[in-house]
Amino acid sequence: MTATDHIQALRALLGEKGLLADAADRVAYETGARYDQGRAAFVARPASTQEVSAVVSYCVRNGIHLIPQSGNTGLVSGSTPDGTGTQGVLSLERLTAPFDLDRANRSVHVGAGMRLSDLNAKLEEHGLFFPIDLGADPRIGGMVSTNTGGSRFLRYGDVRRNTLGLKVVLADEEGTILDLSSSLRKNNTGVDWKQIFIGTSGAYGVVTECVLNLEPLPRQTATAILVPSDPKDVPELLLALEEALGSQLSALEGMSDNAVRAALDHVPSLRNPFQAGTIPPFSLLLEISRSNAPLKGEQPLDQMLEEVLGSIWEGENALLADAVIGKPHEVWALRHALSEGVKNSGRLIAFDLAFRRADVMRFLDHMKEHMPSRFPGVQICDFGHIGDGGVHFNLVVPRDDPRAADPTFEDSLRAWVVDVCVKDFHGSFSAEHAIGRKNQAFYNHYTPAELQRLGAEFKSITSPGLLGSVEFGTPASKTAAIL
Amino acid sequence: MTATDHIQALRALLGEKGLLADAADRVAYETGARYDQGRAAFVARPASTQEVSAVVSYCVRNGIHLIPQSGNTGLVSGSTPDGTGTQGVLSLERLTAPFDLDRANRSVHVGAGMRLSDLNAKLEEHGLFFPIDLGADPRIGGMVSTNTGGSRFLRYGDVRRNTLGLKVVLADEEGTILDLSSSLRKNNTGVDWKQIFIGTSGAYGVVTECVLNLEPLPRQTATAILVPSDPKDVPELLLALEEALGSQLSALEGMSDNAVRAALDHVPSLRNPFQAGTIPPFSLLLEISRSNAPLKGEQPLDQMLEEVLGSIWEGENALLADAVIGKPHEVWALRHALSEGVKNSGRLIAFDLAFRRADVMRFLDHMKEHMPSRFPGVQICDFGHIGDGGVHFNLVVPRDDPRAADPTFEDSLRAWVVDVCVKDFHGSFSAEHAIGRKNQAFYNHYTPAELQRLGAEFKSITSPGLLGSVEFGTPASKTAAIL
């Protein structure tokens, strides 16, 4: 059979709207959010779990490698085809049904192709939201397969914690549908199989439907920017804030001076919140929130926050050098501009790392000390989710530096940073971006042999066909797709 | 080799304290918390992960079936040997090391043999606790293998949510140690294998060490007993309380009239909190708490609660018939006495069910309607965790009723209740007690064939040896142990 035969067969299964083959139609699906430009043999766009099953079954039987693609907002080359032109993209974008809200259960059953912003728009009138707060606007299936966390992890946890059920299509000859779509909050009647499909980049199956936990929308919010007396004090300050604020604490984000400066330089609408135009070496965005309305006689939340910060300020340890209560939208505008600012300030080499909470600042110190001798001229523009140990560790090479376009330089820089993270600090080289092609070599290098064996054998008992951009093991058939 | 030879060989591996073989020494390990009386060939008591590996390896190589036993407080016959006298108990009780507290990370690395009460006693001076609140006092390993929830699930979640890492010994010939004991809160660098060992009754490996999330101890608590205007209003009342109280809501427990009456009858120190000695058909224990100390000028928590309940009382829907703010220890004393009261009021046939939250009251209604004709004279004494859909659905047969001692009667009653739960209400037949021998038949009956296949194949790639009281699949060798 020729490529044209396969495309015709898939079109017969999925209809005209369900199969794109023209180069112009394919280009959006071949292009990644940050790094990638691949080439797809076709783009399949099934509109139901049954259709996903049909297309997966067809491709497994015919040795065609499928790359599931959700919102295509990921940063690790997980959702785009490689350059061979032999892989098919399996887009989830038409899987927007069902939308079954169970208000009393605070849960919703949705198609994996629903956009996060669309989901939250639909939930707003019910006073509910899916509490994963991201800069990007992914679709739900991709959020599950990367297990994203976001800025409010500290309060609400990650996608795993907020997933009650899944429906998954396995890459076997039958395109087996695993129905794990229970809405129960408690259920210990066997293996919780859905966990294996969360955070594994679609290697073990295609997530087609999700049952999600919802949370009441915050109805009171207050934010401040804090300057620790010394960046070393950040872990102690975090504990003091947790002690004083309890479960009201909904975000604590770290911002390096370089990242703040890049944002102020490149996003003109921003205002510098610090005194006299200075930028402290490290600052924190603090958010507290409550889902209940204020009670009679209760002081407004920002007054409460001011009082708490005052008592920490006056505390024995002098943890705070400065604190400015600011309007939430202004404070978050600065935080959200960091990414764009950093991207615009040179050639960006980005890492998404995680550590035990006390180790974040130690790692940053270590890097500031050793970067100038190891990789002179490389600027550290970190920011991230300090409350849960996450760091978007961004390195910027000046654009006029010849190393900015040198892949060997990037490789050796990446290898060194990841090695310090994993070996010296027992950290994670992918906090919330999962694996993708981008992190495959690190997975192969740092994952103990016994876990790689399990990963490969689990692949063979779930999805022996060619699926996704990650290899947890050698699939049954490593033959290149025949397109 | 004879049984004596094996016992000598194991004693050589584990030392005198590590191996018990005398009948008198074995009896505590052969007797379950509620139902069981089995017979063990020996009790192995390894004191480290390495020793667990050695004993598991020996037993796998010699075809000896091991039953891991943690605190032995479970209710589903998961931790005791059967009656054949051929199984060995693998007790975790000496696995009390390490105890590594990482205060800044709010986590602790502990041996799986540590008692919950000992753990929390050690954590108290640091203002922290492991937030799983149970009537029993299990050891941590057993909590992991049953994925318990408890009374504060609504606020803190289950053991799964609070487990950061595990160390596990597989039942293969090498006694392979899987080190999954990371303390990271975010890590998406592959499969999160620890999830498979949570809630699976030790079938896939022996949990020997755990890294746990800790929470700040509550420093303000207020409790009340609520009487809904109509039991049907409970889901609506739950939403109103969540809306008004947000993350301060830490428990909402349901109590049937029969359960309350049984507690008042059998625990003389209790006081009836309701008016004029009446007992409402259904009442609720509400707890709110904050981990922060009161701020200057802030009203005490019970005043705040009174105000919130007042506004719900005055609301349009008239959801509340009565509400009494009570001292936490008195209110919880009633709740904690329910189990003992019910046990003392006749022959107890207990279920641990879960539903979507709105379905709990519908299920109870259904049962009240149909029990009298199906199983006349059987009393429904339910109570449980209404905030997360859990119900301890307890049935009591009068002791002088001949059916009280009839196993056929119990079997048909159990089959009917579970069938209504699973088939008619899409509920769970084990909310937080896991499987054990007690629920094996229900697992076999209600688990889809495809998931049973996965369960069996995963067993063969992790722990092909004979381990635990649950069968997720046919082990490689079903030959009876040779002792």
Side-chain angles (χ1 to χ4, degrees):
Chain A
M1 280 175 86
T2 67
T4 314
D5 294 335
H6 288 306
I7 285 165
Q8 273 183 355
L10 288 166
R11 189 167 280 137
L13 287 174
L14 300 174
E16 276 303 315
K17 283 168 70 179
L19 203 284
L20 309 177
D22 290 352
D25 293 335
R26 293 189 326 247
V27 65
Y29 304 85
E30 293 169 331
T31 313
R34 191 176 286 171
Y35 302 104
D36 300 299
Q37 186 57 57
R39 197 156 67 77
F42 59 82
V43 178
R45 300 166 70 238
S48 67
T49 297
Q50 287 299 339
E51 285 191 3
V52 173
S53 169
V55 62
V56 167
S57 166
Y58 181 89
C59 289
V60 171
R61 283 182 285 108
N62 289 279
I64 299 168
H65 191 154
L66 283 174
I67 305 293
Q69 181 177 103
S70 182
N72 198 19
T73 59
L75 298 176
V76 294
S77 309
S79 58
T80 46
D82 64 18
T84 62
T86 62
Q87 300 180 328
V89 167
L90 175 63
S91 170
L92 307 184
E93 66 191 341
R94 290 173 71 216
L95 291 169
T96 51
F99 177 83
D100 291 335
L101 176 65
D102 182 341
R103 200 171 147 266
N105 201 49
R106 275 202 286 102
S107 66
V108 69
H109 185 158
V110 296
M114 180 163 277
R115 281 238 185 248
L116 177 59
S117 59
D118 291 339
L119 174 61
N120 281 331
K122 276 172 185 266
L123 293 172
E124 195 173 357
E125 64 176 301
H126 304 283
L128 295 169
F129 77 130
F130 183 52
I132 308 294
D133 181 75
L134 300 173
D137 187 18
R139 298 179 195 271
I140 303 299
M143 294 177 72
V144 169
S145 70
T146 54
N147 188 27
T148 50
S151 295
R152 292 185 174 92
F153 182 105
L154 185 59
R155 166 75 185 85
Y156 299 107
D158 52 12
V159 169
R160 185 183 303 282
R161 174 163 143 194
N162 290 285
T163 300
L164 302 179
L166 293 178
K167 207 173 270 188
V168 181
V169 173
L170 302 183
D172 58 16
E173 296 213 341
E174 295 73 34
T176 299
I177 297 169
L178 284 193
D179 188 352
L180 311 167
S181 66
S182 162
S183 307
L184 299 177
R185 292 176 173 276
K186 296 173 109 161
N187 185 18
N188 285 294
T189 55
V191 185
D192 190 0
W193 291 114
K194 69 173 179 287
Q195 303 294 346
I196 295 289
F197 302 97
I198 299 175
T200 45
S201 305
Y204 292 121
V206 182
V207 171
T208 61
E209 297 173 34
C210 311
V211 185
L212 305 173
N213 172 56
L214 305 174
E215 294 287 334
L217 270 172
R219 293 199 286 177
Q220 303 180 68
T221 302
T223 48
I225 293 183
L226 313 183
V227 181
S229 299
D230 185 319
K232 286 188 175 52
D233 292 337
V234 167
E236 202 55 40
L237 182 57
L238 170 58
L239 287 179
L241 291 166
E242 287 190 332
E243 189 173 318
L245 294 164
S247 61
Q248 301 167 105
L249 186 57
S250 50
L252 190 71
E253 301 278 289
M255 303 186 287
S256 66
D257 49 359
N258 288 337
V260 170
R261 193 173 299 112
L264 293 173
D265 284 353
H266 293 277
V267 184
S269 61
L270 287 179
R271 199 179 57 79
N272 182 346
F274 302 105
Q275 289 174 349
T278 60
I279 298 177
F282 200 80
S283 54
L284 295 161
L285 181 161
L286 168 71
E287 181 191 84
I288 63 172
S289 57
R290 291 181 180 167
S291 59
N292 53 299
L295 297 169
K296 269 179 288 179
E298 209 175 43
Q299 62 182 348
L301 210 58
D302 44 10
Q303 267 180 38
M304 188 276 278
L305 180 57
E306 204 159 337
E307 201 177 297
V308 165
L309 294 176
S311 71
I312 290 176
W313 176 286
E314 289 159 14
E316 294 174 28
N317 307 320
L319 297 168
L320 271 181
D322 197 7
V324 191
I325 308 276
K327 294 209 178 83
H329 71 273
E330 284 186 17
V331 169
W332 278 106
L334 174 63
R335 168 65 182 80
H336 287 143
L338 299 179
S339 179
E340 195 189 330
V342 168
K343 247 185 288 183
N344 284 314
S345 61
R347 162 85 170 95
L348 173 63
I349 299 175
F351 300 83
D352 170 42
L353 310 177
F355 300 91
R356 283 169 296 184
R357 303 199 306 182
D359 284 347
V360 177
M361 302 313 293
R362 287 180 50 227
F363 171 80
L364 293 174
D365 264 3
H366 181 99
M367 282 292 160
K368 273 178 209 156
E369 189 185 334
H370 293 94
M371 188 69 76
S373 57
R374 289 290 201 128
F375 295 93
V378 173
Q379 208 186 21
I380 303 175
C381 302
D382 60 286
F383 57 89
H385 315 303
I386 200 99
D388 43 73
V391 188
H392 295 298
F393 187 69
N394 297 299
L395 301 178
V396 173
V397 187
R399 263 191 252 282
D400 54 5
D401 186 321
R403 299 172 304 172
D406 176 0
T408 318
F409 173 80
E410 178 175 341
D411 287 348
S412 65
L413 178 55
R414 282 194 182 276
W416 176 65
V417 168
V418 169
D419 211 57
V420 171
C421 163
V422 176
K423 289 278 182 59
D424 299 347
F425 288 89
H426 306 290
S428 167
F429 60 82
S430 189
E432 52 174 337
H433 291 173
I435 309 279
R437 282 194 303 277
K438 206 87 190 162
N439 286 322
Q440 181 76 52
F442 297 129
Y443 172 86
N444 296 348
H445 187 69
Y446 292 108
T447 308
E450 183 57 27
L451 299 184
Q452 293 203 37
R453 178 191 71 81
L454 269 188
E457 297 200 5
F458 195 71
K459 174 86 180 141
S460 74
I461 65 174
T462 50
S463 283
L466 295 158
L467 184 70
S469 54
V470 174
E471 266 183 37
F472 283 125
T474 310
S477 157
K478 279 283 290 175
T479 327
I482 60 170
L483 281 180
Chain B
M1 282 175 85
T2 65
T4 314
D5 293 335
H6 287 308
I7 285 166
Q8 272 182 357
L10 288 166
R11 188 167 280 138
L13 286 175
L14 300 173
E16 277 302 315
K17 281 167 70 179
L19 203 284
L20 309 177
D22 291 352
D25 293 336
R26 294 189 326 248
V27 65
Y29 304 85
E30 293 170 331
T31 313
R34 191 177 285 171
Y35 301 104
D36 300 299
Q37 185 56 57
R39 198 156 68 77
F42 59 81
V43 178
R45 300 166 69 239
S48 67
T49 298
Q50 287 300 340
E51 285 191 2
V52 173
S53 169
V55 63
V56 168
S57 167
Y58 182 89
C59 290
V60 171
R61 284 183 283 112
N62 289 280
I64 299 168
H65 190 154
L66 283 175
I67 305 293
Q69 181 176 103
S70 182
N72 198 19
T73 58
L75 298 176
V76 294
S77 310
S79 56
T80 45
D82 65 17
T84 61
T86 62
Q87 299 180 327
V89 167
L90 175 62
S91 170
L92 307 184
E93 65 190 342
R94 291 175 70 217
L95 292 168
T96 51
F99 177 85
D100 291 335
L101 176 65
D102 182 340
R103 201 171 145 263
N105 201 49
R106 274 201 287 102
S107 67
V108 69
H109 185 157
V110 295
M114 180 164 273
R115 283 239 184 245
L116 177 59
S117 59
D118 291 339
L119 174 61
N120 281 330
K122 276 171 184 272
L123 294 171
E124 196 173 357
E125 65 176 301
H126 304 283
L128 296 169
F129 77 130
F130 182 52
I132 308 295
D133 181 76
L134 299 173
D137 187 18
R139 297 179 195 271
I140 303 300
M143 295 176 73
V144 169
S145 70
T146 54
N147 189 25
T148 50
S151 295
R152 292 185 174 92
F153 182 104
L154 185 59
R155 167 76 185 84
Y156 298 106
D158 52 13
V159 169
R160 187 184 300 282
R161 175 164 143 194
N162 290 285
T163 300
L164 302 178
L166 293 178
K167 206 173 271 189
V168 181
V169 172
L170 302 183
D172 58 15
E173 296 211 342
E174 294 74 34
T176 299
I177 297 169
L178 284 193
D179 188 352
L180 312 166
S181 66
S182 162
S183 307
L184 299 176
R185 294 175 173 275
K186 297 173 107 161
N187 184 17
N188 286 293
T189 54
V191 185
D192 189 0
W193 291 114
K194 70 174 178 285
Q195 303 294 345
I196 295 289
F197 301 97
I198 299 176
T200 45
S201 305
Y204 292 121
V206 182
V207 171
T208 60
E209 297 172 35
C210 311
V211 185
L212 306 172
N213 172 55
L214 305 175
E215 293 287 335
L217 270 173
R219 293 199 285 176
Q220 303 179 67
T221 304
T223 49
I225 293 182
L226 312 182
V227 181
S229 299
D230 185 318
K232 285 188 176 54
D233 292 336
V234 167
E236 202 55 41
L237 182 57
L238 170 58
L239 288 178
L241 291 167
E242 286 190 333
E243 190 174 317
L245 295 164
S247 61
Q248 300 168 104
L249 186 58
S250 49
L252 190 70
E253 301 278 290
M255 304 186 286
S256 67
D257 48 358
N258 287 338
V260 170
R261 193 173 301 111
L264 294 172
D265 284 354
H266 292 278
V267 184
S269 61
L270 288 178
R271 199 179 57 80
N272 182 346
F274 302 105
Q275 289 172 351
T278 60
I279 298 176
F282 199 80
S283 55
L284 295 162
L285 181 161
L286 168 70
E287 181 191 83
I288 62 172
S289 57
R290 289 182 182 167
S291 58
N292 53 299
L295 296 169
K296 268 179 289 180
E298 209 176 43
Q299 62 181 346
L301 210 58
D302 46 10
Q303 266 180 40
M304 189 277 278
L305 181 57
E306 204 160 334
E307 201 179 296
V308 166
L309 293 176
S311 72
I312 290 176
W313 175 287
E314 288 158 15
E316 292 172 30
N317 307 319
L319 297 169
L320 272 181
D322 197 7
V324 191
I325 310 275
K327 294 209 179 81
H329 72 272
E330 284 186 17
V331 168
W332 279 108
L334 175 61
R335 169 65 183 79
H336 287 144
L338 299 179
S339 179
E340 195 190 329
V342 168
K343 248 186 288 184
N344 284 315
S345 62
R347 163 86 170 95
L348 173 63
I349 299 174
F351 300 83
D352 170 43
L353 310 177
F355 301 90
R356 284 168 296 185
R357 302 201 304 183
D359 284 346
V360 177
M361 303 311 295
R362 286 179 52 226
F363 171 81
L364 293 174
D365 264 2
H366 182 98
M367 282 293 161
K368 274 177 208 155
E369 189 186 333
H370 293 96
M371 189 68 77
S373 57
R374 289 292 201 123
F375 295 93
V378 173
Q379 208 186 21
I380 302 176
C381 301
D382 60 286
F383 57 89
H385 315 302
I386 201 99
D388 43 72
V391 188
H392 294 300
F393 187 69
N394 297 300
L395 301 178
V396 173
V397 187
R399 264 191 251 283
D400 54 6
D401 187 321
R403 299 173 304 174
D406 175 1
T408 318
F409 174 79
E410 178 176 341
D411 286 348
S412 65
L413 178 55
R414 282 195 182 276
W416 177 65
V417 168
V418 169
D419 211 58
V420 171
C421 164
V422 175
K423 289 278 182 60
D424 299 346
F425 288 89
H426 307 289
S428 167
F429 60 82
S430 190
E432 53 174 336
H433 291 174
I435 309 276
R437 282 194 303 276
K438 206 88 189 163
N439 286 322
Q440 181 77 52
F442 296 128
Y443 173 85
N444 296 348
H445 187 70
Y446 292 108
T447 308
E450 182 58 25
L451 299 184
Q452 294 203 36
R453 178 191 70 80
L454 269 189
E457 297 199 5
F458 195 71
K459 173 85 180 143
S460 74
I461 65 175
T462 50
S463 282
L466 295 159
L467 184 70
S469 54
V470 174
E471 266 183 39
F472 283 125
T474 310
S477 157
K478 277 285 290 176
T479 327
I482 59 171
L483 282 180

